[in-house]
Structures are given as structure tokens and as C-alpha cells.
Amino acid sequence: MRPRWAGFVLGALLSLTATVHAIGQSTCVSFAPSSSSLPIVDNEKATPVFISADDWPGVQQAASDFVSDIEQVTGVKPSLTNITASSHLGNLNNAVIIGTLGHSSLIDAIVNHTRLDVSSIDGQWEAFMAREVKNPLPGVSNAYVIIGADKRGSIFALYDHSEQFGVSPWYWWADVPTTRNSQIFVASEGCSHSSPTVKYRGLFLNDEQPALQNWAMEKFTNGTGAALTGSPFNHFFYTKLFELLLRLKANYLWPAQWSSAFGVDDDQNQPLADWYGIVMGTSHEEPMMRSIPVEWGLFGVGPWDYGVNKQNIYNFWVQGAERGRPYEGIWTVGMRGDEPINEEGDISLLEEIVSDQRTILSNVFNTSDVTTIPQMWCLYQEVEGYYDDGMRVPDDITLLWTDDTWGNIRRFPIPSERNRTGGAGVYYHYDLVGPPRDYKWITTFEQMSTAVARDAVRIWLVNVGDLKPYEMGIEFFMTYGWNSSIWNQNNLDSFVSLWAQREFDMSETDGDEVATIIANLTRFNSRRKPELLNSTTYSLVNYREADNVVAGWQALNASATQLANKLPSSMQPAFFQLVLHPVRASATVGTMWIYSGINNLRVSQARLSANEYAEMVSTLFEQDYDLELEYHSLLDGKDHMMDQTHIMYYYWQQPMANTMPFVSKVQSRKQALPGAMRIVPEGTMGSWPGDNQYDCTAGYNCPNPTVYLDAFVPAGNRFIDVGAGGPTPFTFTVTSNVSWAKITPSQGSVSPSSPEQRVVLSAAWDKVEGAQAALITFNASVQDQPPMSLTVTFIANHTTVPSGFTGFVEGDGGVSIEAAHAARNTSVAGISWVNLPGYGRTLSGVTPWPRGGDELNFTAGTGPSIEYDFYTFNSINGTGNVTVTAYMGPTLNGLGPDRPLAFAMAMDSGEPQVDYFVPEGPPGGYPPQWNGYDGWVADNLIYTNLSFVALPGVHTVKIWMVEPAVIFEKLVIDTGGVQPSYLGPPESIFVSS
Ligand SMILES: *[C@@H]1O[C@H](CO)[C@@H](O)[C@H](O)[C@H]1NC(C)=O
Ligand SMILES: *[C@@H]1O[C@H](CO)[C@@H](O)[C@H](O)[C@H]1NC(C)=O
């Protein structure tokens, strides 16, 4: 059973008073009284808070934070007192009473005495309720009673209120200031929540060197770490982390492991977690609550190989079980190693390992029913291969399915795997090595919504690397796991807006602008893993791709800067950490790589302006470090958080130093051999006059360039760059032999201080019939040198579509259509193709929805369909054939090998072709195209090509669902002219009759 909070509508919270910030919570706080509200602080007087001495220590802690939070907001601290039902309180008008059902004698007495109906939470994991209760205790006429169904139910109830009072969960970790309000009221009907969607929601600190580790060393130690490990992750550090987790309504943690051992570094770590209410676990490669490799390195005897060293490893695990027994935990079972066991007999040995681990648990816990002890088996990499090959573990052990470490979940439980008593969960990754980072929350939503649909909701664990700067991504993951039912693809943007409004106490309009900034930042960074960028990732010559990417970064930086300047100075550090730094760091690195590409290209074109780009690369490279320093000096306390190196990867490991992208220079005092003027038309790597390997095949004696433009080229024009070939200034004019050619500007001047002038060519289409050629002549007057002249042929083709046609029109040799822009969309069996706004690399993605389980699939041509209309003038080499390239979200065959991802596509009334576009990898492995520099993951995209007959004219391409969880981002129909680029051609022109 998966309890859902049904009676809650997101719209309801949006309409409430703007100053109470709540993200996906029911709202019960206000800063002004109403007829049915109770005061928390009113007229500088705080309502006293009561709790019971026998409640959980974690609840006591949260209650103490609760009253401190109220003081942060109002300046008035309520009293917090332990009482019993028979305490003499005098005569109180109002009180706040906090406690855990069945674990607070005070609450139990009130429930008994008032017959308060607690049935909605009784026995429900982590549920809570809060409401006004009349005469709860003798002498108290009104109380706002906050009741948790269990320990964390109470804790989450308190932090839920604190968040609405105005204390961000990130107040400490991201320096989010608390907005002051002199009064706080709560609604008499209160806030409540039933059990969360996902039972265990947590994170994993991983690869925490260098950033988090160095920062923690400075912040939480006197300069030396733990005696045995050197780790800085002591109980001071974890106190901050546990509080953050609970404020985010998370409950589960895999601790730092790279050079730490949670249970050894500080013997207060483990009891403290339990005291706070955090469920501890260990990562997929650390069975039985012991850190691997650190603890084994310290205390292990012999090799980490159960096949040859069974008894020592067994004893090692017994000690882990004994040490962890007093505390709430989930026991990781199984075993991994660099050389996992021995190849032959892996599976039977692993089964023996799990069985031995359960024996240890039974013995240490002294129970005959080991199924009462929560256990987890993580199907990570080769372990999933064992599972695929038939290895099984007992039913009560939760199976933790994993992603590919890039956020693409490899497999979800199929129906036959869904009735296991241990259930299933997901181990997910946010960690990318190095800023700029990708928040990935839309992808996260897409993937985790499938996890919900397929019942993988027992455990969600996200690997967050250094934790920062994933603040928003982490919060989304936890918020979605807390209550998935209120979020969908259409209100996802409101999550970011609400988050920004809360973090920066901003208006809805500004919050929406942050949402736009984050959406663009996410999109730009998700186009390619930042560490895999290079100087030619984006096409420097086709579709103005590189220029557009740079312009996108500049616009993003401008809007983030403008917003930052509007904020009060108290908000600046938080805004810098959460929005501005990610934008600037990403824009700097993204622009730097493109500029190095432009430099390299222009050097080869003998253009003086190459040198300016060399300078700009060098400046951006320094700026990258300036941004890191600015981050580290924030409020004197973020030293090392951005230590991660991130520029110029040589192999998978982080580079040992950031290295500037390669740049070169031309000699600025020496003129290029062909003369002072360089002519470079759009769309070529060549340059004229003179020799260049790209001017023609031979590379010498090449003809002058020709530029083509048709009426449906999306940009509407072509440009020609006129550049300096050396130190000598010149002026130039541009003339044509026809009246229809439009030239802007038709003259200009070029000099070393202004070494480039862009000239734009377009056509007066009303004066052009069919294809016509013009001669465009560039005449230069060069200081102290003979004049120069170069003529470019400009061919304009006035393509036209018949009147009455509605759809996309071929331009530039192809048709490009964003998947969201369908002409028709037909549902079948309640499933239709829906848009996931913001998904993917260019606009969005379309996918069959609802995801549902996986019962439903369709034979070719029978499922829900989506259609795109377009018009062509050409086919590939006049053959009558076109190629349709589908740009697909990078998803894996999550339904297992028997149900590979598939769709069907047809041209016009032709037979649908079924495309199984993700080949099966080896057990536990990936399809061959998945990894690698040019792999689907690096590209964040799967390309699949289908060929069709399509003579010039009107066409419809139709796509049918065959299997669920297939996502289309874009379709590109090549009619013979599609050029290489990273993002594909820009969307074609749409005409409507
Ligand atoms: C209430 O009692 C508990 C248990 O003795 C104690 O830990 C806690 O500090 C007390 N709280 C207050 C506010 O006195
Ligand atoms: C509540 O009442 C029930 C019976 O009505 C009794 O068994 C229980 O002990 C009472 N609990 C408290 C805390 O008073």
C-alpha cells in the first residue's frame, strides 16, 4: 500500500497570502490574525510551548529548534517546558502542545481526555496532524496541539511549521536569512500530512574530496581530523547535516565514505544519528554498517574476498552488527569488491554471503525473525548482472535499483517483482564532478515519477557528492519523495518559483523569473556534461550554433545579475550561492570553450581577431577562479566548497589542475599573405582570398565562395564576416549587381582595434522568382596598399508552399520540429502524448502519460499517436528518400530485456516502422552506444534514424506509442542539406493557412 495525501491541491496554497512560503505543504501559518487563528506570537507575547519529558530526544531537539526559530522570526522566544497532564499551569488562554502519539504521556492524556480524533494518523509512518483543541488540560482553554504519529512525524510537523514561519531548511547551509515578522498565527484547523510517498528518503555524501572535506576540516576541526582516518566528518559536522535532513523531511543517510568511517571517526556519530531520528545506512559497497575500504583497511585481516577469507570477513561483519544494533538503520547486504569474489561461482558465493549476513543479524539481534530488521540489497553495476543472471535474495530485503550514475535509471521493478515484502527503491545520482553543475530536476522528476508508478518507493537515495551546490535539486528529490501526488509536469516550474520565493523572500513575479533562470541554466548545462565540453562541441559554422549558445549564456547572466541587484544585501550571499554563482560559473566555462574554438578557427582563417579571442579565453579562465574565490570568501565561511577542478579532463579522474583550453595567435604586426581583407561567409570554415583547406577540396586555386539562402531558412538571412588580415586598416563597400539583394551594412571600416565587421545578406522575396544568383562584391581601400576586391555569389531560392498548407516548411535542406509542436495528438486507453516542459536540450520532451505501471503496450500502429505536418522541396540527392532523425531522451530499457523501449513511426499512409532504439547491453552492462565521449550519455540524447520515401510536397510523420517511458525531444527530417551541429538545426518555419 502506498498512502497518498489526497485532499490537498497545490492551487490552494498558491492563493494564500504571499508572505507565507511553503513548498508543497498545506499552509496553516499567517502573519496576521483571523477569526479562526491562534497566536504563536502576538503583541510581543509568545504563546508557551509544552512538551512531555518522556518524548523522544529528537522531538525534544526539534521542539527546542521550533522555539528558537520563532525567536529568529519575531524576536520573542516562547517558553518551552516539560509538563505532565497534571501540571498546574494556572489559567492559560493559549498554549502550544507538542508530542508523539503513544510516546508522550502528555499527548496520550489529551487524546484520552478530549476524545480528539487521531485516527487519520494513528499507526501511519511519519504522519502528523496539528489543530486547535479546546480545554486540552485543566486550566488551559485553547491549545494548538501538534501530534506526530511517530518520532519523525512529530519532528517533521515542527520543522514544517518552522519553514512556514520563515526559516529556510538551508538557513545555515546556504546562509538564507530569516525574514522578520512581529506576529505569527496558526489556523485552528492546522496542518497535517499522512504517510509520505517514499518510506526512506535520503542522501549519500560521496566523492567528498576535495571540496566538502577541506571545508569541513576548516569548519569543524582544529585542523586535524579523526585519529585513525584523518576524517573531518565528526559529530559537529553531522549535527548540522542531521538537522538539515530533518528540515527537508529526509530520514536516511549514507555517510561520507571516501576517506572516512562513520562509526570510527567519532564514536558520537552513530548514537547522535539515532538521537536525532536519522536512519543510518551504508553505501552499496559497504555491507553491515561498516565503511569500506577505510574500516577494512584499518581492522580487516587478509584480502577482501569472501571466497578465500571468509572467517575474517564474517567476524568483521559481526562487529559491525554489534556496533549498529542499538540504532535505527537499514542494513546493506551483499558484497562488492574491485575484484568481486572470484568469477566462477559468483552467484552462489554472493547468495552464501547474504545468508551469512542474515545469520549474523539474527544472532546479534537475538531474533528468530530476521525479516523484522530492515535490509537492502543494491543492484549496482555488476550486481545487477548477477540479478539478471538469476541471483535472488529473500523477499523481505529491499531491492535498490540504480541509475547509470548520470540520472538515468537502468531498470524499474516489473510486475512480477512488485509484491516483494521488502519492496524496491532507487539509488540516484546528482553528483557530477565539478561545477558548472546541472540541477537536473526535470530529468529527476521524469525518472522518479516512473519509480512511483512502478512502486519503487521503499527507499530513495540520492548521491549528492559534496552536497553543495545541489541545494535545490536535493530539496526537490526529498519534496517529491515526501509527497509525489501534488507534483506533475505542469506545475513543476512552480516548485522552483516557490522555492525561490521562500529562499529570497521574493514576490511571485521574481520567483517566476528565478524559475526561468534555473530552467535555462538546467537546460544549457544538461546539453552536455560540462566536463565533456570542448572547443568544437557546438558548431562554430553551422546554424550560428556557437553564437547562439554564447548569447544564451549572456542573457542568462544578465537576468540573474539584474535580479541579484534588486535584492537586499542580506539576501545577496544566499542568492549568490544558489543562483548567481551557478549561472556565472557555467556561463564562464561554457563561453570559454566556445571562444577557444573561435580562436582556433580564426587563426586558421588568418584573421587578426583570433588574438582577441585568445585574450578572452585567458580572461575567462582567470574569471573562473575569481568566481571560486568569491564563493569561498562569502561571509567568511565557504572556503574550499568550490575546490573541485573542472576544466580539461584527460580521463575519468578529476584533473589535478584546471588547464586553460588551447588557444593560438596570429602575428599581429604581420599581414596575412593574401592581403589586409579577409572574407568569411557563414557556414564555412574556409576564408578568402588565399588558400585554405576548407575553401575547396584541393585546398588551393579555389573558386570564390557561394552563399545560398532560401525563403524558409529560419534565420532569414546569411552573414559574411569582413575581417582584418593584419595590422593595416581598410574601409570597404559592398555592392551587388541585382536590386533584390539586401546588404546591411553596405560599407564599413576595419582596423586592429575593430578587426571584424559582419555584413548581412537577405533577399527582397517579392522580387525573386525561383532560384536567382547575384554577385556581391567587396571592395576594400587599404591604407598605403593597392585596393582589394572579392566577389561572392549569392543564390536566393524563393521556395513557396501552396496556400492552405499548415505546418513546418523545409528550409536550409531540412525540416526541424520540436516534439512539442505536434499537429494532432490521439489518446488510446486513457494514455496520450504529453509535454514535459523544460525537459531535454532544446525545448521539452513528449512522452506517453500517465506512466502507469507497464501493463500497457501496443502493437505498431494501435497506440496513442502524435503527428507532425511538414512540406518539402527536396529529397536526399533527388532519390525521393528522406531520413527522419528522432532526438530522444536518454532512457534505458527500464522494463528489462523482454520489454525494450520502442515506438513506431510512419510517413503519410505508409506502414509503421517499429524502432527498438536501445540495444540490450551485457548483464549488468550498458548498450554499446551508451558511454564514451560521443556516447548517448555524454550527448544527453539518443539519436535514431529512420528512412522513408517522401517526394517533395506535403507530408505527415506519425509516431505511435509501443512501449511507455519513451521521450521525443525533436525530429529532424533531412532532405539532403542538414549540416553537422550539436543541437541539430533550429526549428523550421511554421506556416498556417
Ligand atoms: C524535558 O525533559 C527531557 C528528558 O528529561 C530533557 O532532555 C529535556 O531537556 C527537557 N526539556 C526542557 C525544555 O526542559
Ligand atoms: C487512555 O485511556 C485508556 C482507556 O480509556 C487507558 O487504557 C490509557 O491508559 C489511557 N492513557 C493515558 C495516557 O491516560
Side-chain angles (χ1 to χ4, degrees):
M1 189 192 79
R2 187 182 337 120
R4 294 275 183 83
W5 182 249
F8 178 72
V9 191
L10 186 67
L13 78 87
L14 291 172
S15 66
L16 287 172
T17 162
T19 47
V20 174
H21 299 306
I23 307 180
Q25 295 127 282
S26 59
T27 312
C28 52
V29 172
S30 62
F31 300 120
S34 77
S35 57
S36 63
S37 66
L38 288 83
I40 297 294
V41 173
D42 184 17
N43 258 323
E44 289 171 34
K45 265 198 64 205
T47 302
V49 179
F50 300 114
I51 190 167
S52 182
D54 58 0
D55 212 322
W56 296 100
V59 177
Q60 296 279 356
Q61 175 64 43
S64 139
D65 289 345
F66 178 81
V67 295
S68 301
D69 289 347
I70 292 168
E71 185 184 19
Q72 284 299 310
V73 176
T74 62
V76 185
K77 189 172 187 173
S79 63
L80 172 66
T81 322
N82 282 322
I83 59 164
T84 66
S86 50
S87 296
H88 291 286
L89 299 173
N91 262 338
L92 277 178
N93 241 341
N94 289 301
V96 175
I97 302 175
I98 293 166
T100 308
L101 200 59
H103 213 275
S104 158
S105 48
L106 178 64
I107 287 297
D108 291 349
I110 291 172
V111 170
N112 262 11
H113 166 72
T114 61
R115 308 207 173 277
L116 180 65
D117 181 6
V118 292
S119 59
S120 62
I121 61 162
D122 196 5
Q124 302 286 315
W125 176 266
E126 295 177 355
F128 64 78
M129 60 183 281
R131 54 165 301 140
E132 179 179 6
V133 177
K134 301 272 184 206
N135 303 313
L137 296 169
V140 180
S141 32
N142 276 307
Y144 187 70
V145 181
I146 301 175
I147 307 177
D150 52 20
K151 167 168 66 174
R152 281 183 296 271
S154 303
I155 294 170
F156 294 149
L158 292 167
Y159 287 134
D160 189 292
H161 283 80
S162 280
E163 185 186 346
Q164 296 183 48
F165 295 160
V167 179
S168 163
W170 300 98
Y171 76 92
W172 188 84
W173 285 87
D175 305 301
V176 178
T178 299
T179 299
R180 300 294 292 248
N181 273 292
S182 56
Q183 324 183 93
I184 300 177
F185 298 87
V186 285
S188 74
E189 67 274 20
C191 281
S192 50
H193 198 278
S194 61
S195 282
T197 306
V198 177
K199 187 167 186 183
Y200 296 103
R201 308 163 302 282
L203 56 81
F204 178 25
L205 298 176
N206 189 222
D207 293 336
E208 60 279 1
Q209 272 178 313
L212 188 66
Q213 174 119 4
N214 293 348
W215 170 79
M217 190 68 87
E218 215 166 275
K219 201 93 187 165
F220 298 106
T221 75
N222 58 8
T224 36
L228 289 176
T229 62
S231 168
F233 300 118
N234 53 26
H235 74 277
F236 299 110
F237 169 83
Y238 279 113
T239 296
K240 293 290 184 195
L241 186 65
F242 297 152
E243 183 189 328
L244 172 70
L245 289 174
L246 294 169
R247 284 184 186 267
L248 293 172
K249 305 192 183 88
N251 59 10
Y252 180 45
L253 179 68
W254 292 0
Q257 158 248 9
W258 194 246
S259 56
S260 305
F262 189 72
V264 174
D265 296 334
D266 182 337
D267 53 21
Q268 292 190 52
N269 281 349
Q270 240 171 335
L272 190 74
D274 193 62
W275 189 91
Y276 264 89
I278 296 293
V279 182
M280 288 307 299
T282 42
S283 75
H284 53 93
E285 48 196 16
E286 304 172 284
M288 305 297 281
M289 225 57 95
R290 297 204 81 171
S291 150
I292 302 295
V294 175
E295 262 193 272
W296 178 256
L298 287 171
F299 309 115
V301 177
W304 180 248
D305 180 342
Y306 209 69
V308 303
N309 194 25
K310 176 173 163 164
Q311 196 55 49
N312 282 322
I313 295 174
Y314 189 98
N315 295 345
F316 179 77
W317 287 338
V318 170
Q319 286 152 21
E322 283 169 347
R323 189 180 63 192
R325 180 188 54 184
Y327 314 117
E328 189 176 4
I330 300 176
W331 295 82
T332 300
V333 299
M335 187 174 181
R336 287 188 83 211
D338 278 343
E339 291 145 285
I341 332 162
N342 43 46
E343 280 304 320
E344 287 298 300
D346 278 355
I347 291 182
S348 59
L349 185 55
L350 249 181
E351 283 172 346
E352 181 191 338
I353 287 169
V354 173
S355 157
D356 287 354
Q357 289 166 335
R358 285 164 74 83
T359 304
I360 293 170
L361 289 175
S362 299
N363 293 343
V364 171
F365 281 78
N366 195 18
T367 173
S368 57
D369 185 5
V370 74
T371 68
T372 58
I373 303 168
Q375 297 153 59
M376 175 278 288
W377 186 43
C378 182
L379 302 175
Y380 191 75
Q381 289 182 354
E382 82 283 353
V383 180
E384 191 192 326
Y386 301 142
Y387 183 88
D388 291 346
D389 285 342
M391 175 175 169
R392 290 297 178 267
V393 294
D395 207 53
D396 60 288
I397 299 178
T398 304
L399 295 185
L400 198 63
W401 298 93
T402 68
D403 68 358
D404 63 346
T405 77
W406 296 107
N408 309 296
I409 298 170
R410 301 174 52 155
R411 181 110 133 56
F412 295 95
I414 58 176
S416 61
E417 295 162 337
R418 288 191 202 150
N419 45 15
R420 304 179 67 260
T421 54
V426 173
Y427 170 32
Y428 197 74
H429 285 74
Y430 275 163
D431 180 33
L432 293 185
V433 186
R437 317 267 189 147
D438 169 8
Y439 284 109
K440 280 184 149 176
W441 54 281
I442 295 164
T443 317
T444 307
F445 164 75
E446 189 278 321
Q447 292 282 297
M448 300 319 282
S449 65
T450 308
V452 173
R454 296 182 185 165
D455 265 341
V457 291
R458 184 65 55 90
I459 299 173
W460 283 7
L461 195 287
V462 61
N463 183 326
V464 298
D466 292 315
L467 189 89
K468 280 169 143 316
Y470 288 117
E471 290 91 343
M472 195 192 78
I474 291 168
E475 185 154 1
F476 177 71
F477 190 86
M478 300 309 167
T479 304
Y480 193 55
W482 173 248
N483 187 346
S484 72
S485 68
I486 60 172
W487 301 106
N488 61 59
Q489 66 276 13
N490 298 319
N491 69 12
L492 211 49
D493 260 355
S494 73
F495 174 86
V496 189
S497 179
L498 290 166
W499 177 83
Q501 289 168 49
R502 186 197 69 194
E503 295 301 81
F504 314 116
D505 192 29
M506 341 176 111
S507 68
E508 196 179 328
T509 315
D510 287 349
D512 290 349
E513 192 176 336
V514 172
T516 305
I517 290 170
I518 299 282
N520 282 324
L521 175 66
T522 307
R523 188 200 329 282
F524 295 171
N525 275 339
S526 74
R527 287 171 172 170
R528 189 167 186 82
K529 314 299 163 201
E531 60 270 30
L532 298 179
L533 284 176
N534 68 24
S535 57
T536 54
T537 296
Y538 294 105
S539 176
L540 300 168
V541 295
N542 295 320
Y543 308 120
R544 304 178 186 176
E545 186 172 74
D547 289 355
N548 289 336
V549 170
V550 169
W553 282 125
Q554 284 167 346
L556 191 58
N557 193 10
S559 88
T561 303
Q562 196 181 30
L563 209 47
N565 292 341
K566 266 173 67 175
L567 290 173
S569 59
S570 61
M571 293 291 174
Q572 299 286 349
F575 191 79
F576 182 83
Q577 288 169 62
L578 299 172
V579 180
L580 195 58
H581 180 272
V583 166
R584 290 210 174 141
S586 306
T588 300
V589 171
T591 306
M592 177 176 65
W593 277 114
I594 287 175
Y595 281 0
S596 88
I598 294 177
N599 163 270
N600 300 167
L601 178 65
R602 290 194 180 187
V603 162
S604 79
Q605 292 169 331
R607 291 160 82 177
L608 184 63
S609 59
N611 295 2
E612 287 186 348
Y613 281 88
E615 283 306 312
M616 289 192 281
V617 169
S618 167
T619 304
L620 290 165
F621 185 63
E622 293 304 319
Q623 183 173 304
D624 175 78
Y625 186 57
D626 291 341
L627 283 166
E628 186 173 320
L629 289 179
E630 191 176 347
Y631 196 110
H632 288 166
S633 63
L634 270 189
L635 302 176
D636 247 7
K638 295 292 176 286
D639 221 4
H640 301 299
M641 268 302 195
M642 294 292 126
D643 271 1
Q644 182 65 61
T645 53
H646 51 278
I647 306 170
M648 197 76 83
Y649 273 66
Y650 298 94
Y651 69 119
W652 63 266
Q653 176 62 293
Q654 62 198 355
M656 295 298 114
N658 289 323
T659 312
M660 192 175 90
F662 297 108
V663 292
S664 187
K665 282 190 169 190
V666 294
Q667 285 179 334
S668 59
R669 290 171 296 142
K670 183 176 166 65
Q671 180 164 297
L673 288 182
M677 178 174 73
R678 312 295 302 132
I679 296 292
V680 181
E682 182 177 3
T684 174
M685 291 170 72
S687 62
W688 285 265
D691 293 339
N692 180 296
Q693 60 177 317
Y694 299 108
D695 286 1
C696 65
T697 315
Y700 65 97
N701 284 347
C702 295
N704 282 352
T706 299
V707 171
Y708 298 87
L709 180 70
D710 67 56
F712 290 96
V713 167
N717 56 39
R718 298 290 192 203
F719 65 76
I720 296 181
D721 283 339
V722 182
T728 314
F730 64 90
T731 60
F732 68 90
T733 60
V734 196
T735 54
S736 112
N737 65 341
V738 298
S739 63
W740 54 259
K742 300 201 241 176
I743 304 167
T744 326
S746 59
Q747 57 183 22
S749 61
V750 167
S751 66
S753 62
S754 172
E756 292 287 336
Q757 173 87 58
R758 184 157 285 186
V759 172
V760 175
L761 300 184
S762 56
W765 291 115
D766 51 345
K767 296 188 190 135
V768 181
E769 209 156 301
Q772 293 188 15
L775 296 177
I776 310 290
T777 303
F778 293 78
N779 284 308
S781 309
V782 189
Q783 204 175 61
D784 302 328
Q785 287 183 28
M788 285 180 77
S789 178
L790 190 100
T791 299
V792 177
T793 304
F794 176 35
I795 297 176
N797 185 5
H798 191 184
T799 44
T800 57
V801 290
S803 65
F805 171 76
T806 295
F808 291 91
V809 184
E810 178 195 320
D812 231 355
V815 188
S816 173
I817 307 174
E818 292 290 349
H821 298 154
R824 282 167 298 282
N825 189 337
T826 311
S827 316
V828 172
I831 301 178
S832 50
W833 292 84
V834 305
N835 194 28
L836 303 176
Y839 181 89
R841 305 200 317 181
T842 50
L843 179 71
S844 62
V846 299
T847 189
W849 204 269
R851 280 284 152 82
D854 44 25
E855 312 59 49
L856 275 178
N857 60 355
F858 299 91
T859 55
T862 63
S865 64
I866 189 163
E867 298 172 52
Y868 302 87
D869 297 338
F870 61 95
Y871 195 92
T872 59
F873 305 107
N874 296 287
S875 61
I876 295 171
N877 298 324
T879 55
N881 294 321
V882 300
T883 305
V884 178
T885 303
Y887 290 47
M888 324 276 304
T891 41
L892 283 156
N893 292 329
L895 288 174
D898 299 339
R899 294 274 302 272
L901 294 171
F903 63 88
M905 187 187 282
M907 186 66 69
D908 305 320
S909 54
E911 274 296 298
Q913 301 179 20
V914 178
D915 190 4
Y916 295 92
F917 57 99
V918 181
E920 199 49 36
Y926 295 95
Q929 303 91 327
W930 196 252
N931 288 309
Y933 189 80
D934 292 318
W936 288 339
V937 172
D939 285 347
N940 196 19
L941 199 76
I942 296 176
Y943 303 86
T944 179
N945 293 322
L946 297 92
S947 286
F948 297 96
V949 174
L951 297 171
V954 179
H955 295 288
T956 296
V957 68
K958 185 168 180 179
I959 297 169
W960 288 268
M961 171 182 170
V962 171
E963 291 286 351
V966 168
I967 309 162
F968 285 87
E969 296 183 14
K970 178 165 167 163
L971 297 174
V972 174
I973 299 126
D974 187 1
T975 59
V978 172
Q979 299 300 313
S981 67
Y982 186 69
L983 299 173
E987 189 163 40
S988 297
I989 291 174
F990 181 83
V991 299
S992 60
S993 56

mmCIF file of all heavy atoms in Angstrom, residues 158 186 937:
data_model
loop_
_atom_site.group_PDB
_atom_site.id
_atom_site.type_symbol
_atom_site.label_atom_id
_atom_site.label_comp_id
_atom_site.label_asym_id
_atom_site.label_seq_id
_atom_site.Cartn_x
_atom_site.Cartn_y
_atom_site.Cartn_z
ATOM 1 N N LEU A 158 7.044 19.818 13.293
ATOM 2 C CA LEU A 158 7.635 21.047 13.846
ATOM 3 C C LEU A 158 8.416 21.808 12.784
ATOM 4 O O LEU A 158 8.269 23.019 12.629
ATOM 5 C CB LEU A 158 8.532 20.688 15.034
ATOM 6 C CG LEU A 158 7.744 20.158 16.242
ATOM 7 C CD1 LEU A 158 8.681 19.518 17.267
ATOM 8 C CD2 LEU A 158 6.933 21.285 16.884
ATOM 9 N N VAL A 186 -1.434 30.683 13.773
ATOM 10 C CA VAL A 186 -1.693 29.406 13.102
ATOM 11 C C VAL A 186 -3.197 29.219 12.985
ATOM 12 O O VAL A 186 -3.963 29.655 13.858
ATOM 13 C CB VAL A 186 -1.057 28.218 13.855
ATOM 14 C CG1 VAL A 186 0.437 28.181 13.648
ATOM 15 C CG2 VAL A 186 -1.384 28.279 15.337
ATOM 16 N N VAL A 937 25.067 9.171 -23.294
ATOM 17 C CA VAL A 937 25.044 9.871 -22.004
ATOM 18 C C VAL A 937 25.760 11.200 -22.118
ATOM 19 O O VAL A 937 25.264 12.235 -21.668
ATOM 20 C CB VAL A 937 25.700 9.017 -20.903
ATOM 21 C CG1 VAL A 937 25.836 9.823 -19.632
ATOM 22 C CG2 VAL A 937 24.865 7.789 -20.645
#
